[in-house]
Amino acid sequence: MHPIVRLVNRNLTISLSPGFLIWQVIFPLIYIFVAGFAYTSLIDRVPFGGRDLDYPAFLATGMIGFNIMNSTLVTGIIIWNDRRHGMFEQIMSGPFTRFHYILSSVITQAIVGLVSAALIAGMGYLVYFDQIEFNLSTVPLLVFAAVIGSVLFGSIASIISTRLRTSEGFNVIINTVFLFFAFVSTAFYPAGGAPEPLSTAFYLNPLTYLVDVIRAGIFGDVTEFVLVEMAVLVVLGLGLFVTATRLLTRLDF
Amino acid sequence: MSCIAAQSLAKSYSGIAAVDGIDLTVQTGQIFGFLGPNGAGKSTTIKMLTTLVMADAGNLSILGIDAAKSPLEIRKRIGVVLQQPSYEPTLTVKRSLEKYGMMWDVPAQLRQERVRRLLADFDLTEIQNKRNEDLSIGQRRRVQVAREFMHDMDLLFLDEPTVGLDPAVRKRLLDYLKDRAGAGLTIFYTTHVLSEAEYICDKIAIINRGKIIAVDSPEELKRRFGQEKTIKINIAERDERIRDLLEDITDCRVEFDSGTEVTIRSEQSSAVLSRIFGILKENDIEVEELSAVPTSLEDIFLKVVSDAPDS
Ligand SMILES: Nc1ncnc2c1ncn2[C@@H]1O[C@H](COP(=O)(O)OP(=O)(O)O)[C@@H](O)[C@H]1O
Ligand SMILES: [Mg+2]
């Protein structure tokens, strides 16, 4: 087996704990089915690409992006744990290179991201099945979102994990950053309804771009703006990935 | 063929030399002891030899492979137990051995066999289902050493593997290493405990302040530094004259405690002993107890290290 496959195998083994699965599956489900319907009395319809979506459908698609982002916590935690518990050095003294290590992290997060996205997309189907505009670009756009979202947010998690050594610092920072991404985005509510400075802030946030792409895929409305958003995600994702790789390569023992 | 060949290997951290130009030759099949006090440069040397850290200067060849050119090729053939603990906190002991074997591409069936053997050999069977994060430091260390034997290797590096182990476990580990070396494994073993090095090593290098100050077999080191005997005299009553009397004896070093004990170290112990007897008798000093034992290698080690230049 290729060294990267072996590392991915190991990464999945150590990160797929019951706690993590609950976090990844139960939490979004509660959001979609409880919050989604509870808020329906407040937010009736959400305008989207010339038509109206009902709120649970809007929220469920936002949750796909949210879940892709959250799944990349996995990588941050693996890298951070590896450094803290000596496994980074141990792996680097074995039949692996730093490139293997970094690439295996990316692949791990892409797998977890894809599975999460598929899971939420599948469960969310119950709430948006009557509004979905399934077409040729739906699946490719979801896969694109899962992969680029994983690389982008995974790189952010990796960067944070290489900078911080204490567990309190790591958890506080990473949760704060991700909380900010989650709530200052269009994952939970449309930008249209928000007051001006906030709705601009939504577009300084890669999660907004990610959920826009996902919604375009599911509700069949790939505009030029969405293409621009995809380009921004690719550029930003690659930039952050290069930065994360550099930082990881420079870590010494 | 020499398994490790290093010339003028050096590494500094922020301008301070951690390893200051060392030469090493380790023959295949040897257990090579790398002995030195804390901060001497042992771990830095291991990190260079295992290609974890690039040397600032010098040449290094491991298993005939140039470390600067093909570090990965070297790493594929060595085992490394670093000084720092390393473990997967959430995996059980058994599962972490298994996964480590997988990481080294050991076929599944062989992996199972090795896990079973190692759990028994390292006395881990009882704790095999405990998670690593729940182990004591000593248990974790044992798992870490055992785990390294999951894969095949030609050369094993161990950086102070016995720290934190109790004496019985320590002995068991040393015997295990001896067995493996007997079966052809070359081992590079660092420690700050000389008796350990003496027990398992075929050759010992003593390092201090980044420089190697002696390389030899344990027997030869003993012969070179170990002719010395320690003579202890307990006199019945405190006697002020004894200091002046004994200091006249040649070929020895005398240490007094405040009261009634005198310690004398000498390489000419029999001559010195008879002189002491003579002096004590002439002056009517009553001896309560007298002993002469070979100075322990531990003491020699301390002596060699403290005699080294600029310490
Ligand atoms: N990563 C590092 N950064 C700065 N100084 C270091 C580093 N590693 C080791 N040193 C210094 O190098 C010297 C040798 O350390 P080390 O090789 O760990 O010694 P030993 O293993 O013999 O105790 C020490 O003075 C130590 O402080
Ligand atoms: Mg050390």
Side-chain angles (χ1 to χ4, degrees), chain B residues 25 33 35 37 42 49 80 127 149 184 190 222 234 272 276 302:
Chain B
T25 309
L35 183 66
K42 302 184 294 296
L49 298 182
V80 183
I127 56 166
F149 287 98
T190 84
K222 238 182 188 167
N234 285 316
V272 170
I276 293 173
L302 290 174

Side-chain angles (χ1 to χ4, degrees), chain A residues 6 9-10 85 90 94 96, chain B residues 75 80 86 88 99 103:
Chain A
R6 287 182 258 139
N9 175 331
R10 172 256 176 191
H85 301 298
Q90 189 67 56
F96 306 102
Chain B
R75 291 203 297 274
V80 183
S86 78
E88 315 273 23
K99 277 290 148 184
M103 286 165 71

Side-chain angles (χ1 to χ4, degrees), chain A residues 32 55-65 120-121 124-125 127-128 187 215:
Chain A
I32 294 171
Y55 183 64
F58 179 84
L59 180 66
T61 45
M63 284 312 293
I64 299 174
I120 306 301
Y125 187 75
V127 296
Y128 54 63
R215 287 193 180 120

Side-chain angles (χ1 to χ4, degrees), chain A residues 252-253, chain B residues 13-14 18 36-45 83 159-160:
Chain A
D252 55 23
F253 304 110
Chain B
Y13 289 108
S14 24
N38 286 332
K42 302 184 294 296
S43 297
T44 306
T45 304
Q83 180 167 15
D159 197 353
E160 308 211 26

Side-chain angles (χ1 to χ4, degrees), chain A residues 218-230:
Chain A
I218 289 181
F219 301 120
D221 189 34
V222 187
T223 57
E224 262 174 39
F225 184 63
V226 170
L227 295 178
V228 173
E229 287 182 305
M230 290 171 73

Side-chain angles (χ1 to χ4, degrees), chain B residues 286-306:
Chain B
E286 193 187 333
V287 174
E288 208 161 58
E289 204 179 312
L290 189 144
S291 64
V293 291
T295 304
S296 76
L297 268 183
E298 218 67 58
D299 290 332
I300 298 172
F301 169 52
L302 290 174
K303 174 172 178 290
V304 172
V305 163
S306 64

Side-chain angles (χ1 to χ4, degrees), chain A residues 6-153:
Chain A
R6 287 182 258 139
L7 284 179
V8 169
N9 175 331
R10 172 256 176 191
N11 287 347
L12 290 172
T13 310
I14 59 175
S15 52
L16 294 184
S17 64
F20 177 73
L21 292 177
I22 287 172
W23 166 256
Q24 277 300 99
V25 177
I26 308 287
F27 180 71
L29 278 184
I30 291 176
Y31 245 83
I32 294 171
F33 290 101
V34 181
F37 288 105
Y39 280 124
T40 303
S41 58
L42 298 175
I43 311 169
D44 186 23
R45 322 237 7 122
V46 181
F48 182 88
R51 63 185 177 127
D52 280 347
L53 301 173
D54 60 24
Y55 183 64
F58 179 84
L59 180 66
T61 45
M63 284 312 293
I64 299 174
F66 176 79
N67 225 38
I68 292 171
M69 177 180 80
N70 260 338
S71 67
T72 64
L73 275 172
V74 171
T75 332
I77 291 168
I78 291 174
I79 294 176
W80 186 81
N81 265 325
D82 281 353
R83 293 231 293 147
R84 184 181 158 93
H85 301 298
M87 284 309 292
F88 183 58
E89 282 87 339
Q90 189 67 56
I91 290 169
M92 287 303 115
S93 71
F96 306 102
T97 62
R98 290 195 191 216
F99 177 73
H100 291 150
Y101 184 83
I102 293 160
L103 211 59
S104 77
S105 307
V106 174
I107 293 172
T108 307
Q109 79 210 11
I111 291 174
V112 178
L114 266 171
V115 172
S116 302
L119 223 61
I120 306 301
M123 294 184 299
Y125 187 75
L126 293 175
V127 296
Y128 54 63
F129 68 93
D130 55 346
Q131 293 160 73
I132 190 168
E133 294 279 335
F134 198 83
N135 61 47
L136 271 183
S137 63
T138 304
V139 171
L141 279 178
L142 284 180
V143 171
F144 169 86
V147 171
I148 195 71
S150 297
V151 171
L152 194 156
F153 289 105

